[in-house]
């Protein structure tokens, strides 16, 4: 079993939809949780970062961490075609060694 | 700032050949990371450096892989000899210091070993 599990998708939604992306993990020592966005043929870029449990909101994006269930989520409100990308969850016990999910490919169509 | 720079962007080589991938981190960043990305295994950390010193190379798949950082502005990842299963996209990332969390990724090198 992988330390971090992520549904690969693809997930196809209409513009304006609410998108929910999720990851589960097995290592209870993880305390740093991140979401990276990767456009086609580009490197990943940090989108959201959360330490320990709780929610964090940034514009149309909300990250949630439920450590009791070992489950993290990223919500995208009012999705736009420009949100079409692969979303990678990443987590670690310490910030140096990130463990990434395999990524969920999202397509938002007009 | 130009961001993290990697070269070459694409590399096609034949099995058994030596491959060298290059990375220039963002100026002033203390940490440098090498990752490999494949469809099956996703993004995996191979090795990382702090102030040019290798800290953890437990992700390096085997002795055919080696990485160096001779100075703060340059790092190489070498595969010798290369094998078809090494085909992947290799990313370099840098981070400013221990107090920050953001890793900045380069555009990657797409390696194909025939």
């Amino acid at each position: 079993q992988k330390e971090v599990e992520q549904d690969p998708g693809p997930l196809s939604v209409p513009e304006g939809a609410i998108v929910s992306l999720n990851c589960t993990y097995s290592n209870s020592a993880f305390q740093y949780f991140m979401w990276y966005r990767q456009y086609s043929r580009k490197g990943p870029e940090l989108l959201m970062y959360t330490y320990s449990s709780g929610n964090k909101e940034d514009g149309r994006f909300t990250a949630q961490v439920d450590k009791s269930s070992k489950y993290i989520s990223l919500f995208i409100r009012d999705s736009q075609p420009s949100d079409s990308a692969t979303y990678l969850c990443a987590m670690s016990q310490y910030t140096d060694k990130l463990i990434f999910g395999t990524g969920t490919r999202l397509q938002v169509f007009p | 700032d130009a961001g993290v720079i990697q070269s070459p962007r694409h590399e096609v080589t034949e099995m058994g050949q030596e491959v060298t991938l290059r990375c220039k981190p963002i100026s002033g960043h203390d940490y440098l990371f090498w990752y490999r990305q494949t469809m099956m295994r996703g993004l995996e950390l191979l090795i990382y450096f702090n102030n040019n010193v290798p800290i953890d190379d437990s992700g390096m798949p085997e002795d055919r892989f080696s990485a160096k950082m001779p100075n703060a502005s340059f790092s190489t990842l070498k595969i010798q000899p290369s094998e078809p299963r090494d085909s992947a996209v290799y990313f370099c990332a840098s981070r400013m210091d221990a107090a920050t969390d953001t890793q900045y990724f380069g555009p990657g090198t797409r390696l194909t070993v025939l």
Side-chain angles (χ1 to χ4, degrees), chain A residues 89-105:
Chain A
C89 63
M91 51 197 77
S92 67
Q93 182 176 359
Y94 307 105
T95 55
D96 292 355
K97 294 186 67 172
L98 292 178
I99 309 298
F100 282 83
T102 51
T104 299
R105 190 154 58 94

Side-chain angles (χ1 to χ4, degrees), chain B residues 45-101:
Chain B
L45 177 65
L46 300 176
I47 184 172
Y48 77 94
F49 297 82
N50 180 22
N51 291 320
N52 313 338
V53 177
I55 302 301
D56 189 327
D57 65 354
S58 59
M60 297 285 261
E62 48 199 275
D63 292 344
R64 298 184 297 107
F65 286 70
S66 62
K68 294 182 179 179
M69 192 165 185
N71 58 62
S73 59
F74 183 67
S75 177
T76 59
L77 178 67
K78 187 174 293 187
I79 308 173
Q80 166 64 17
S82 58
E83 296 183 3
R85 59 192 169 121
D86 301 330
S87 297
V89 181
Y90 290 81
F91 288 101
C92 175
S94 69
R95 192 179 94 193
M96 182 178 292
D97 52 39
T100 59
D101 305 298

Side-chain angles (χ1 to χ4, degrees), chain A residues 64-85:
Chain A
Q64 288 185 351
V65 175
D66 182 349
K67 291 190 72 178
S68 62
S69 301
K70 297 190 183 69
Y71 187 87
I72 70 170
S73 301
L74 177 70
F75 297 95
I76 307 174
R77 292 182 298 279
D78 187 24
S79 56
Q80 302 295 310
S82 58
D83 295 327
S84 298

Side-chain angles (χ1 to χ4, degrees), chain B:
Chain B
D1 198 324
V4 175
I5 298 173
Q6 291 187 247
S7 66
R9 294 294 310 275
H10 302 273
E11 177 81 26
V12 180
T13 190
E14 293 188 346
M15 183 174 63
Q17 296 297 306
E18 178 179 294
V19 175
T20 299
L21 311 181
R22 297 172 176 80
C23 174
K24 177 178 169 55
I26 295 172
S27 177
H29 281 198
D30 293 340
Y31 287 80
L32 185 140
F33 304 82
W34 282 102
Y35 290 90
R36 178 172 66 176
Q37 187 174 41
T38 61
M39 289 290 290
M40 289 300 296
R41 300 176 67 88
L43 195 61
E44 301 174 290
L45 177 65
L46 300 176
I47 184 172
Y48 77 94
F49 297 82
N50 180 22
N51 291 320
N52 313 338
V53 177
I55 302 301
D56 189 327
D57 65 354
S58 59
M60 297 285 261
E62 48 199 275
D63 292 344
R64 298 184 297 107
F65 286 70
S66 62
K68 294 182 179 179
M69 192 165 185
N71 58 62
S73 59
F74 183 67
S75 177
T76 59
L77 178 67
K78 187 174 293 187
I79 308 173
Q80 166 64 17
S82 58
E83 296 183 3
R85 59 192 169 121
D86 301 330
S87 297
V89 181
Y90 290 81
F91 288 101
C92 175
S94 69
R95 192 179 94 193
M96 182 178 292
D97 52 39
T100 59
D101 305 298
T102 304
Q103 293 186 23
Y104 296 88
F105 283 77
T109 296
R110 185 171 296 271
L111 173 65
T112 301
V113 183
L114 303 174

